[in-house]
Amino acid sequence: MTCNSKIGEQTTYVSEFFNMQQTGQPMKAGYTASNDNGGNGFCGLLLMLISFILIAATFPFSLCSCVKVVQEYERAVIFRLGRLLGGAKGPGIFFIIPCTDEYRKVDLRTRTFDVPPQEILTKDSVTVQMDAVVYYRVRDATMAVTNVENVDGATRLLAQTTLRNMLGTKSLSEILTDREQIAHGMLASLDQATDVWGIQVERIEIKDVRLPMQLQRAMAAEAEAAREARAKVIAAEGEKNASVQLKEAADVMASAPNAMQLRFLQTLNTISAEKNSTIVFPIPIDLLSALKR
């Protein structure tokens, strides 16, 4: 890469930037505004010329400082004399001028961080603590470097405030039952807010919801009382059904005089099988009725 090609690339960038400003067209991703309307000027060109002379004078040792390599999952954002040089470079090898160029590596892999437990007052005036996990990655390396100072810190703080604002509009029952819906709402809100930073939020998971101890005991007592009430209702329904069946059995036995005697013999057989030392002599009901007469 020669000096003329580098200077021509820089001149093309500056002229394209000012043409977009004069025509009122929106700037492309990777271009940033500057207060210096005159470009690098004579001083910048002189500094670049001196840099190329030094590179040529120290060749091939200068290649160690001029040739850089970024990995497949990385991008390099280059600034020449404080101005953004095109878009992000990489992956692979790229060339910089040591005296005039500065570059920053940006990792494009997915990152995760834990949102610290946030103490939140719900819609129905209940204090809860909730934490979450956020998965995000850098979508545009140029925007992540030029539009925000610390993209990781800004994303963390925004995730905390988004969690607090989202849960402040929910009641306790909604927080306990609609955790997936809350996570989707946070994802949409956070992804929209970080879009101008070149960040894509991929996933948000709610980890835990912590309730005050007094509220936990109250909810446990309420659940226990509800279970006892259901158990009593089930037992009452069982007794009612059993009484109906016993009435039907009594009507059947009343229609057959020998049915009661057979029932006595069946009961005696059952008792003798379980307790052999116990002897039971059933007294017929007919005998008792005869004695009454």
Side-chain angles (χ1 to χ4, degrees), residues 8 49 57 66 81 83 91-92 106 135 193 224 245 263 274 286 288:
L49 181 60
C66 297
L81 296 176
R83 293 179 175 273
V106 180
Y135 299 82
E224 184 178 359
Q245 298 295 329
R263 182 58 180 169
E274 295 179 357
D286 296 340
L288 294 177

Side-chain angles (χ1 to χ4, degrees), residues 1-249:
M1 184 177 296
T2 62
C3 177
N4 294 331
S5 62
K6 282 290 182 181
I7 296 174
E9 182 180 357
Q10 183 72 12
T11 305
T12 302
Y13 162 67
V14 174
S15 62
E16 183 179 357
F17 173 74
F18 283 111
N19 288 336
M20 287 189 295
Q21 281 192 336
Q22 293 175 359
T23 56
Q25 297 178 356
M27 291 189 299
K28 300 178 182 178
Y31 291 96
T32 55
S34 176
N35 294 329
D36 185 8
N37 295 329
N40 294 328
F42 176 76
C43 295
L45 296 177
L46 180 61
L47 184 58
M48 291 178 60
L49 181 60
I50 295 174
S51 301
F52 279 113
I53 293 175
L54 292 177
I55 292 173
T58 58
F59 187 83
F61 301 102
S62 60
L63 292 178
C64 297
S65 300
C66 297
V67 178
K68 302 295 180 180
V69 179
V70 291
Q71 304 297 329
E72 181 69 28
Y73 53 84
E74 295 177 333
R75 296 295 183 271
V77 181
I78 305 175
F79 295 90
R80 176 164 297 171
L81 296 176
R83 293 179 175 273
L84 182 64
L85 184 62
K89 305 295 182 182
I93 300 174
F94 62 96
F95 180 84
I96 66 170
I97 304 175
C99 298
T100 60
D101 291 357
E102 177 187 357
Y103 76 96
R104 299 181 186 178
K105 286 185 180 180
V106 180
D107 197 332
L108 302 183
R109 292 176 293 183
T110 299
R111 310 175 192 181
T112 62
F113 66 87
D114 294 331
V115 179
Q118 303 293 311
E119 189 171 353
I120 302 162
L121 185 65
T122 62
K123 186 178 179 180
D124 49 355
S125 301
V126 178
T127 302
V128 298
Q129 286 187 349
M130 178 175 280
D131 53 359
V133 181
V134 179
Y135 299 82
Y136 73 101
R137 68 179 184 88
V138 177
R139 173 179 52 83
D140 191 320
T142 303
M143 298 176 65
V145 172
T146 57
N147 291 355
V148 61
E149 180 182 1
N150 184 0
V151 65
D152 294 330
T155 305
R156 292 172 184 267
L157 294 177
L158 185 60
Q160 295 180 20
T161 56
T162 303
L163 178 62
R164 297 176 66 90
N165 295 335
M166 182 67 66
L167 297 182
T169 60
K170 303 291 184 180
S171 62
L172 178 61
S173 59
E174 292 175 348
I175 292 176
L176 296 177
T177 57
D178 298 338
R179 298 173 62 175
E180 185 175 356
Q181 183 179 358
I182 294 174
H184 284 299
M186 286 185 57
L187 176 61
S189 178
L190 192 60
D191 189 39
Q192 182 180 2
T194 57
D195 187 60
V196 294
W197 299 343
I199 297 296
Q200 179 182 357
V201 181
E202 297 180 340
R203 190 179 182 89
I204 296 179
E205 292 293 339
I206 303 297
K207 291 177 60 178
D208 190 17
V209 180
R210 302 176 185 176
L211 303 177
M213 190 60 63
Q214 296 179 354
L215 182 59
Q216 292 182 15
R217 288 196 292 265
M219 294 178 64
E222 180 183 1
E224 184 178 359
R227 286 193 297 268
E228 291 180 356
R230 287 196 299 268
K232 292 179 179 179
V233 170
I234 293 174
E237 291 180 354
E239 292 179 358
K240 177 182 177 182
N241 295 333
S243 63
V244 173
Q245 298 295 329
L246 288 175
K247 180 179 180 301
E248 294 179 357

Side-chain angles (χ1 to χ4, degrees), residues 265-276:
L265 294 175
Q266 184 180 4
T267 303
L268 180 62
N269 186 23
T270 303
I271 295 175
S272 62
E274 295 179 357
K275 299 179 181 181
N276 298 330

